[in-house]
């Protein structure tokens, strides 16, 4: 083999070796470049998982905070009747025969609180006089998510009204009896109250129908020497009038509810206001301050 041939073979072998080294170097560089990409991909995958967990926790918290608050049963009755029209002309003629038009009580909201009163003085000259005083008051409660359903609030006020009627200062011969034929629950309280004008026979009938409490006060006295009226007759008349007033409440709300004495089972379809729309001002005032005794009023009117 000539020297020139051997030199070319050596050069070719050197080129082959250089090419092989170059290929190996390229593979190393490619692998080295791929490592950061894999690390970055792994890092992104890890971050993505952490973000998902955070998002799920946030979504769970938001879902919990968006859950609806507890609700209460809606009030059955959404309004009150006109207070001076709850009793028929015949009833008014029987209870206050000399009475004129009723005097409506002051109220900031007649759909929540209303009342009317009548006076009657039958003056017989030297034979004396017969005095009668009649008052009907109505208080309607609305359901409140914090304070409770309307009928429960009405029950509490009903019990308070009965207790007030049973504990009037100066009352004598106080008697109480349940009345089953009026509304969902009713109690009649009667007593005598002596004043300078004479002895007044007081009758108070407190009745609840659904979320409305009706309080009817009726009293009479024989003045200027006339004899005192019969407490039994006055009580009978008061019960009749109270039942009529309770029926007027039911009729004002489309005839729903229980005006005739059966216990209430469910809200009337005539409800016109949602449970959350409770009238706090009227219900809180009624539950926090006792009503004035009706027996204190006639003396100033006679």
């Amino acid at each position: 083999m000539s020297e020139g041939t051997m030199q070319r073979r050596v050069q070719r072998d050197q080129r082959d070796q250089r090419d092989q080294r170059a290929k190996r170097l390229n593979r190393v560089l490619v692998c080295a470049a791929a490592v950061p990409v894999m690390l970055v991909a792994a890092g992104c995958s890890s971050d993505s998982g952490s973000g998902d967990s955070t998002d799920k926790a946030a979504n769970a918290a938001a879902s919990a905070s968006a859950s609806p608050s507890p609700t209460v049963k809606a009030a059955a009755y959404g309004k009150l009747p006109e207070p001076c029209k709850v009793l028929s002309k015949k009833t008014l003629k029987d209870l206050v025969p000399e009475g004129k038009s009723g005097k409506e009580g002051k109220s900031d909201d007649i759909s929540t609180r209303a009342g009317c009163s009548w006076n009657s003085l039958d003056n017989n000259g030297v034979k004396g006089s017969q005095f009668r005083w009649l008052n009907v008051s109505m208080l309607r409660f609305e359901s409140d998510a914090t304070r409770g359903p309307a009928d429960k609030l009405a029950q509490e006020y009903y019990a308070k009204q009965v207790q007030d009627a049973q504990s009037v200062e100066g009352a004598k011969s106080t008697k109480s009896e349940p009345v089953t034929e009026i509304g969902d629950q009713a109690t009649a309280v009667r007593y005598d109250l002596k004043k300078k004008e004479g002895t007044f026979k007081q009758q108070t009938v407190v009745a609840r129908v659904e979320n409305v409490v009706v309080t009817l006060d009726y009293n009479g006295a024989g003045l200027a020497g006339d004899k005192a009226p019969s407490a039994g007759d006055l009580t009978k008349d008061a019960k009749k009038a109270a039942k009529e007033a309770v029926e007027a409440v039911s009729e004002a709300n489309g005839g729903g509810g229980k005006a005739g004495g059966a216990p209430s089972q469910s809200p009337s379809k005539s409800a016109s206001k949602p449970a959350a729309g409770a009238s706090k001002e009227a219900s809180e005032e009624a539950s926090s301050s006792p009503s004035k005794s009706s027996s204190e009023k006639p003396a100033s009117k006679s």
Side-chain angles (χ1 to χ4, degrees):
M1 180 181 298
S2 65
E3 181 178 354
T5 302
M6 290 182 64
Q7 185 176 0
R8 285 193 297 274
R9 178 177 293 178
V10 170
Q11 291 174 346
R12 188 168 55 252
D13 291 342
Q14 289 176 344
R15 284 197 305 271
D16 292 341
Q17 290 176 0
R18 286 198 300 269
D19 291 340
Q20 290 177 0
R21 286 197 299 269
K23 289 179 180 180
R24 285 197 298 271
L25 180 59
N26 286 337
R27 284 197 297 270
V28 171
L29 292 175
V30 169
C31 290
V35 170
V37 175
M38 294 176 64
L39 291 175
V40 170
C44 292
S45 177
S46 175
D47 289 344
S48 176
S50 176
D52 289 345
S53 299
T54 303
D55 291 344
K56 289 179 180 179
N59 291 337
S63 176
S65 63
S67 298
S69 57
T71 58
V72 294
K73 183 177 68 174
Y77 291 155
K79 61 181 179 179
L80 295 175
E82 293 184 48
C84 293
K85 294 183 178 181
V86 296
L87 301 179
S88 68
K89 292 182 179 180
K90 182 180 184 306
T91 297
L92 291 174
K93 185 66 176 177
D94 291 342
L95 273 64
V96 282
E98 300 300 323
K100 305 301 180 182
S101 59
K103 181 180 179 181
E104 186 170 344
K106 294 181 179 180
S107 175
D108 294 333
D109 182 2
I110 59 174
S111 71
T112 299
R113 180 190 293 274
C116 191
S117 61
W118 298 260
N119 282 319
S120 173
L121 180 62
D122 185 8
N123 191 341
N124 297 312
V126 296
K127 294 182 180 180
S129 303
Q130 285 292 321
F131 174 80
R132 300 290 186 272
W133 181 78
L134 173 65
N135 182 79
V136 177
S137 64
M138 299 170 288
L139 188 65
R140 184 181 64 81
F141 293 83
E142 292 188 1
S143 296
D144 184 270
T146 301
R147 301 177 64 237
D151 56 351
K152 178 177 177 294
L153 298 176
Q155 288 177 26
E156 294 172 354
Y157 181 68
Y158 163 83
K160 182 177 180 298
Q161 286 290 86
V162 172
Q163 184 178 11
D164 287 347
Q166 293 171 333
S167 57
V168 173
E169 185 178 357
K172 304 292 184 182
S173 304
T174 302
K175 296 181 180 179
S176 300
E177 61 175 324
V179 185
T180 58
E181 69 271 17
I182 302 177
D184 294 315
Q185 54 186 152
T187 300
V189 181
R190 74 184 191 187
Y191 53 84
D192 296 344
L193 194 64
K194 288 186 178 182
K195 292 180 176 287
K196 63 180 181 180
E197 297 88 350
T199 299
F200 289 83
K201 301 286 185 177
Q202 171 69 35
Q203 328 295 315
T204 298
V205 180
V206 184
R208 180 188 68 84
V209 56
E210 298 288 1
N211 57 307
V212 176
V213 176
V214 175
T215 303
L216 183 137
D217 292 300
Y218 182 49
N219 62 41
L223 307 178
D226 203 351
K227 66 178 182 180
S230 165
D233 290 344
L234 294 180
T235 300
K236 182 179 178 180
D237 288 341
K239 289 179 182 177
K240 174 185 175 182
K243 183 174 182 179
E244 199 170 307
V246 166
E247 289 172 347
V249 173
S250 178
E251 290 170 3
N253 289 272
K258 308 292 180 181
S264 61
Q265 298 295 332
S266 60
S268 164
K269 293 181 180 179
S270 62
S272 63
K273 292 191 177 183
S279 178
K280 294 184 179 179
E281 179 181 352
S283 58
E284 288 175 354
E285 178 185 350
S287 61
S288 62
S289 60
S291 60
K292 294 182 179 179
S293 172
S294 60
S295 60
E296 297 176 359
K297 299 177 181 178
S300 61
K301 298 177 181 292
S302 61

